[in-house]
């Protein structure tokens, strides 16, 4: 029993299957999930000098990613359709996540990923986000209003800065309770297993 | 029963566990492995403008990669130690792979990856490569001599050009018999399963 931190950016493609899978895996293992939104754009810019998704900046990687994502979603039985834009702005959705009570976040986050990757909706649109909030059983007017406050803006900025500080460079990223970091939907099972029983693994660190 | 193409660059970290795992998985599934060396440097340069490994160019990704590689190798029971340099030049080893009879390639390739990632040897050294050739039961003098011929040089160049043409952008890359491409040690099992029974997966292709 412990807490798995799930750090995610709403624009991220592989974060969609991760968001849809994480609750079932965590619940089976008896772990809690902490849903932590951040913005990936500032990380890509600070760490890689990028002003766009690496999947757009390097088209050969992008072409493979869309095909691979289709295979991953097919394997998981998840619907997938071409997003209206890529990457979409996840700013409003990230702020609304933080404006919601913690217990409503999972349902909201999954609804937003579904709008982005399975329904072809523009997730920067307040109307789209409003229906995600309502589908999580919350008051969309109140949450949207709260999402625009200085407090929420500062909280999202602090998450993004903490992500940089902790060595995050992509989404999804998972942290086990001892701080061990796992990157990518492919590492979700490993993160759960580590939370159950951290392994003693010697780092080699690389040359120099 | 079919052929899995295994495209690899000797400098590549995650290709080490892939090279050590692929024969057992293929043999269990009744598939053959075609060992196809290529050079990743020209691809990184042509596709991403890089003159170094992305793991050096983006240190935050490099730090994570070394830790993740340690976890992956620990899970597989594979020895790992800090390489003497990263990335190493895989040119000589790649040419020697092609200079070898096909049936000797698997043993040679695994010996080179072991020198690089488990023994801290410099794989650009002819002495190191000679002992890898001998450990595969072949005549190192003859193979080293053949590796320097125009025919072998041209064959490696052709492999690298074919990799670019087929959309390869990293190592390891696997192709199933129908041409389906899988990238990364994490996709080895998926490539085998696809070779067994290709799935009907609709591509979405991404926006625009």
């Amino acid at each position: 029993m412990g807490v798995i931190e799930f750090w995610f950016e709403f624009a991220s493609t592989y974060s969609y299957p991760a968001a849809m899978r994480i609750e079932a895996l965590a619940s089976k293992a008896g772990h809690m999930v902490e849903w932590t939104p951040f913005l990936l754009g500032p990380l890509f810019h600070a760490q890689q000098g990028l002003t766009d998704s690496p999947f757009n900046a390097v088209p050969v990687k992008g072409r493979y990613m869309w095909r691979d994502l289709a295979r991953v979603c097919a394997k998981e039985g998840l619907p997938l359709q071409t997003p209206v834009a890529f990457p979409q702005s996840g700013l409003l959705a990230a702020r609304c996540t933080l404006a919601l009570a913690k217990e409503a976040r999972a349902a909201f986050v999954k609804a937003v990923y579904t709008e982005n990757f399975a329904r072809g909706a523009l997730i920067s649109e307040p109307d789209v986000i409003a229906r995600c909030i309502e589908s999580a059983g919350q008051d969309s007017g109140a949450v949207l209003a709260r999402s625009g406050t200085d407090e929420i803006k500062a909280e999202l900025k602090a998450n993004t800065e903490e992500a940089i500080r902790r060595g995050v460079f992509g989404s999804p990223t998972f942290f086990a309770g001892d701080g061990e970091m796992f990157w990518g939907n492919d590492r979700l099972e490993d993160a759960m297993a580590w939370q159950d029983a951290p392994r003693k693994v010697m780092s080699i660190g690389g040359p120099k």
Side-chain angles (χ1 to χ4, degrees), chain A:
Chain A
M1 174 69 197
V3 174
I4 294 280
E5 294 175 50
F6 172 34
W7 289 66
F8 59 93
E9 149 71 57
F10 281 104
S12 157
T13 51
Y14 289 109
S15 302
Y16 164 50
M20 304 309 275
R21 295 186 328 115
I22 194 167
E23 284 182 300
L25 287 168
S27 138
K28 211 171 82 179
H31 303 319
M32 306 282 295
V33 179
E34 196 165 296
W35 298 72
T36 310
F38 71 105
L39 298 183
L40 198 46
L43 276 69
F44 281 158
H45 189 256
Q47 297 165 340
Q48 306 191 47
L50 290 167
T51 54
D52 196 352
S53 162
F55 295 126
N56 290 340
V58 184
V60 68
K61 294 190 83 162
R63 279 190 293 275
Y64 174 78
M65 179 278 290
W66 291 112
R67 177 64 184 162
D68 189 55
L69 183 69
R71 287 191 308 236
V72 167
C73 289
K75 202 169 163 181
E76 295 294 332
L78 286 172
L80 180 70
Q81 76 170 60
T82 303
V84 283
F86 178 78
Q88 293 208 47
S89 167
L91 180 65
L92 179 62
R95 286 180 178 162
C96 285
T97 307
L98 296 171
L100 279 164
K102 289 206 170 186
E103 61 275 17
R105 290 181 185 177
F108 170 74
V109 171
K110 291 190 291 178
V112 175
Y113 276 113
T114 300
E115 293 288 347
N116 188 348
F117 294 108
R119 290 193 186 150
L122 207 54
I123 63 165
S124 52
E125 285 295 318
D127 282 359
V128 171
I129 295 303
R131 76 174 174 246
C132 295
I133 297 168
E134 297 288 335
S135 81
Q138 305 295 306
D139 176 341
S140 59
V143 173
L144 279 164
R146 188 161 138 65
S147 78
T149 61
D150 287 347
E151 183 196 340
I152 293 296
K153 289 178 182 177
E155 198 181 335
L156 180 59
K157 195 152 178 275
N159 278 4
T160 301
E161 284 161 2
E162 189 184 337
I164 292 179
R165 221 168 29 244
R166 289 172 72 176
V168 173
F169 55 87
S171 175
T173 293
F174 315 103
F175 287 98
D178 64 354
E180 188 78 12
M181 185 175 99
F182 297 84
W183 171 56
N185 176 55
D186 294 331
R187 289 287 178 276
L188 184 46
E189 282 79 358
D190 286 345
M192 293 290 168
W194 193 279
Q195 180 62 39
D196 272 341
R199 300 180 61 135
K200 289 221 180 349
V201 171
M202 184 151 20
S203 282
I204 59 164
K208 273 198 295 313

